[in-house]
Amino acid sequence: MKLKIIDIDINKPKPKATIHYSGKLGFNIEAIEFMELQNQGSFLVATDEEKEDVLYLLEEKEGKNTAKVAKAGNYYYLNVGDAFETLKYDYKRYTIMFDITKDEYEDKAVFILKKRREIKRKDKDEKEEER
């Protein structure tokens, strides 16, 4: 028997997105690089009727139903709060995070956002009690 140990990096940063309290979908540095957001203009947001916890971002030129990539400081975001309200995501009470992967759909790149977890936001009263 000749075993070969596999190199595993358990702390490897992964592309992620988070819905902010404002409804904006923010991306971490790894996602910005992975998705090449600095070179992107707009995305369409889609869902899958068979998978409730997955969103899709399809690269698209500006137009109807597209979300334009915006930048604040070093970070990029999509202002898609309306979509999250339509999907009944409770982003005011919970921080909702997604892992991001890439695939193809109809010969175009598509980014797959799989809901990772929801973390309850602290209420204003809870924050004041901690002080």
Side-chain angles (χ1 to χ4, degrees):
M1 182 178 331
K2 188 173 179 179
L3 300 179
K4 180 180 176 186
I5 305 299
I6 299 171
D7 212 7
I8 301 172
D9 183 358
I10 59 171
N11 296 316
K12 181 180 176 183
K14 297 177 181 154
K16 294 184 186 5
T18 303
I19 304 174
H20 296 243
Y21 185 82
S22 63
K24 294 175 181 171
L25 182 64
F27 300 93
N28 69 356
I29 296 294
E30 291 76 20
I32 292 166
E33 292 171 5
F34 178 67
M35 297 173 70
E36 299 178 18
L37 290 175
Q38 64 278 9
N39 299 325
Q40 301 303 328
S42 301
F43 287 95
L44 291 170
V45 179
T47 59
D48 185 334
E49 294 175 0
E50 298 173 359
K51 296 178 183 176
E52 229 175 79
D53 62 343
V54 178
L55 289 177
Y56 301 89
L57 297 178
L58 296 107
E59 298 174 51
E60 188 66 40
K61 293 180 182 169
E62 277 189 59
K64 187 177 182 198
N65 295 322
T66 60
K68 188 172 183 191
V69 175
K71 185 177 180 188
N74 293 326
Y75 294 91
Y76 290 82
Y77 66 91
L78 296 174
N79 194 1
V80 291
D82 288 353
F84 298 134
E85 288 173 15
T86 299
L87 294 168
K88 297 187 179 7
Y89 282 15
D90 193 359
Y91 62 85
K92 296 281 187 184
R93 287 188 12 182
Y94 295 92
T95 299
I96 303 170
M97 295 184 277
F98 301 88
D99 289 323
I100 304 172
T101 56
K102 186 176 182 178
D103 205 345
E104 280 195 15
Y105 177 76
E106 296 181 354
D107 296 326
K108 286 187 174 182
V110 61
F111 295 98
I112 304 163
L113 282 67
K114 180 154 178 29
K115 194 187 298 184
R116 186 167 177 227
R117 61 181 168 169
E118 295 180 1
I119 300 171
K120 189 170 184 341
R121 294 183 190 276
K122 292 185 178 182
D123 294 332
K124 190 176 183 179
D125 295 336
E126 290 174 2
K127 288 180 184 176
E128 288 175 6
E129 285 176 13
E130 288 180 359
R131 291 182 186 172

